């Protein structure tokens, strides 16, 4: 983290977990143990049906609610899809875009790019995900792969919008596997992502961009990951489902600025 230029963000991704009733229960417990100090921004991205209950439960707190996906179109014949203005109206502040689990269902870099643009236009903060598979890492193409994902994902987006985007580096081999990237491995790619942004948009924008790490981040390894200068927070799956664990990760952002 580098607090001088960026406010850390701890974001949860519940994936396909919890009912609206369970979401409400979680928020009540979470609010009860959330530290008062504002070391970081906090977001919970929840299943679409949980959004109303979650938004109601966190009213007048600093917890932001987000969605896990959106459609790039404004409205129309897209059965089962949800537009960005619907998410805003429901009270969302964030939306995860291009998670590897959605890319595995066929989402392309072009889809990601269109969704990021739609989210920005609606006033949502997109959390744009990237990351390599184990096979790609082992064949030494991580850098090349992540560079392509970032460049295509951000194509055609104006410089002044870049600072409104959060980027999450999530190596696929670390997601849900308990096999976390080492702080050095995670930092190496987060640093690369910042360098890509610096080259394309300049040092000032690169310094202001929030870059998260995700992949088996938990209450035990968060402190060491967050100690790295280019890791500005986390996108947390499993550990965001348990209020006590999520709070411990938030507390791990309380460390001296690098
Ligand atoms: P886990 O923290 O469960 O590995 O999930 C990470 C993730 O995919 C967050 O988007």
């Amino acid at each position: 983290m580098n607090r001088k230029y960026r406010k850390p963000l701890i974001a949860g991704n519940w994936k396909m977990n919890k009912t609206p009733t369970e979401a409400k229960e979680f928020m009540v417990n979470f609010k009860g143990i959330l530290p008062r100090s504002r070391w970081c921004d906090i977001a919970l991205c929840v299943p679409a049906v949980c959004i109303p209950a979650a938004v109601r439960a966190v009213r007048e707190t600093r917890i932001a609610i987000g969605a896990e996906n959106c459609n790039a179109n404004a409205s129309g014949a897209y059965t089962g899809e949800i537009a960005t203005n619907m998410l805003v109206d429901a009270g969302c502040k964030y939306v995860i875009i291009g998670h590897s689990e959605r890319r595995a269902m066929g989402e392309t870099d072009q889809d990601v790019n269109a969704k990021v643009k739609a989210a920005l236009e609606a006033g949502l903060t997109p959390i744009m995900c990237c990351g390599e598979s184990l096979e790609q890492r082992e064949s030494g193409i991580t850098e090349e792969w992540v560079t392509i994902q970032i460049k295509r994902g951000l194509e055609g987006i104006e410089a002044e919008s870049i600072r409104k985007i959060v980027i999450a580096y999530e190596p696929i081999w670390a997601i849900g596997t308990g096999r976390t990237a080492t702080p050095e491995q995670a930092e190496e790619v987060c640093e690369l992502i910042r360098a890509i942004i610096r080259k394309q948009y300049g040092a000032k924008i690169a310094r202001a961009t929030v870059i998260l790490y995700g992949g088996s981040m938990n209450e035990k390894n968060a402190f060491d990951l967050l100690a790295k200068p280019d890791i500005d927070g986390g996108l947390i799956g499993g550990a965001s489902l348990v209020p006590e664990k999520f709070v411990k990760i938030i507390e791990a952002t309380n460390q001296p600025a690098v």
Side-chain angles (χ1 to χ4, degrees):
M1 299 179 296
N2 186 330
R3 276 174 202 289
K4 193 168 157 209
Y5 298 113
R6 305 176 287 274
K7 184 151 188 211
L9 168 66
I10 299 297
N13 173 11
W14 280 2
K15 309 191 178 183
M16 200 172 74
N17 292 292
K18 295 195 192 291
T19 63
T21 307
E22 290 165 344
K24 186 181 168 190
E25 277 167 21
F26 174 98
M27 295 302 169
V28 170
N29 294 333
F30 179 50
K31 280 191 297 187
I33 57 170
L34 185 64
R36 281 178 190 277
S37 311
R38 296 176 180 242
W39 303 300
C40 62
D41 287 332
I42 300 165
L44 278 156
C45 299
V46 304
V49 292
C50 293
I51 292 169
V55 167
R56 255 196 314 277
V58 302
R59 209 172 274 158
E60 281 159 35
T61 73
R62 64 198 182 94
I63 305 160
I65 300 300
E68 299 176 10
N69 181 34
C70 64
N71 190 286
N73 296 287
S75 64
Y78 303 100
T79 303
E81 292 292 288
I82 300 174
T84 51
N85 69 331
M86 298 174 188
L87 297 176
V88 172
D89 193 67
C92 287
K93 299 277 186 268
Y94 291 86
V95 58
I96 297 172
I97 295 173
H99 191 281
S100 58
E101 288 154 16
R102 295 210 60 87
R103 290 180 188 260
M105 295 178 217
E107 200 163 296
T108 64
D109 286 327
Q110 285 70 29
D111 297 327
V112 171
N113 181 247
K115 289 181 183 198
V116 169
K117 286 176 178 163
L120 287 169
E121 207 160 302
L124 290 166
T125 299
I127 303 178
M128 188 183 92
C129 303
C130 63
E132 81 289 0
S133 65
L134 186 58
E135 203 185 345
Q136 288 166 330
R137 173 158 285 260
E138 284 174 347
S139 52
I141 59 163
T142 298
E143 191 174 325
E144 202 179 321
W145 181 255
V146 171
T147 303
I148 290 171
Q149 285 186 318
I150 297 291
K151 285 199 171 159
R152 290 193 181 151
L154 299 180
E155 207 170 302
I157 295 171
E158 299 294 322
E160 68 264 24
S161 295
I162 298 295
R163 63 172 86 230
K164 297 179 194 147
I165 299 173
V166 172
I167 295 174
Y169 167 57
E170 299 205 312
I172 297 169
W173 48 271
I175 296 176
T177 57
R179 184 179 164 187
T180 324
T182 64
E184 291 69 29
Q185 283 173 323
E187 168 64 15
E188 192 182 11
V189 182
C190 290
E191 194 184 356
L192 163 77
I193 294 168
R194 202 177 304 286
I196 298 166
I197 294 171
R198 189 180 304 118
K199 206 164 161 198
Q200 210 155 329
Y201 302 97
K204 207 168 152 201
I205 288 168
R207 263 201 311 263
T209 303
V210 173
I211 302 174
L212 311 179
Y213 167 76
S216 299
M217 191 163 173
N218 59 35
E219 67 286 5
K220 296 186 189 88
N221 57 33
F223 191 92
D224 290 340
L225 285 159
L226 295 167
K228 292 292 177 189
D230 290 293
I231 302 177
D232 305 314
L235 185 55
I236 328 291
S240 75
L241 297 168
V242 183
E244 290 76 14
K245 291 186 181 178
F246 198 52
V247 161
K248 286 211 171 91
I249 298 172
I250 289 166
E251 284 170 346
T253 62
N254 178 23
Q255 48 180 293
V258 183

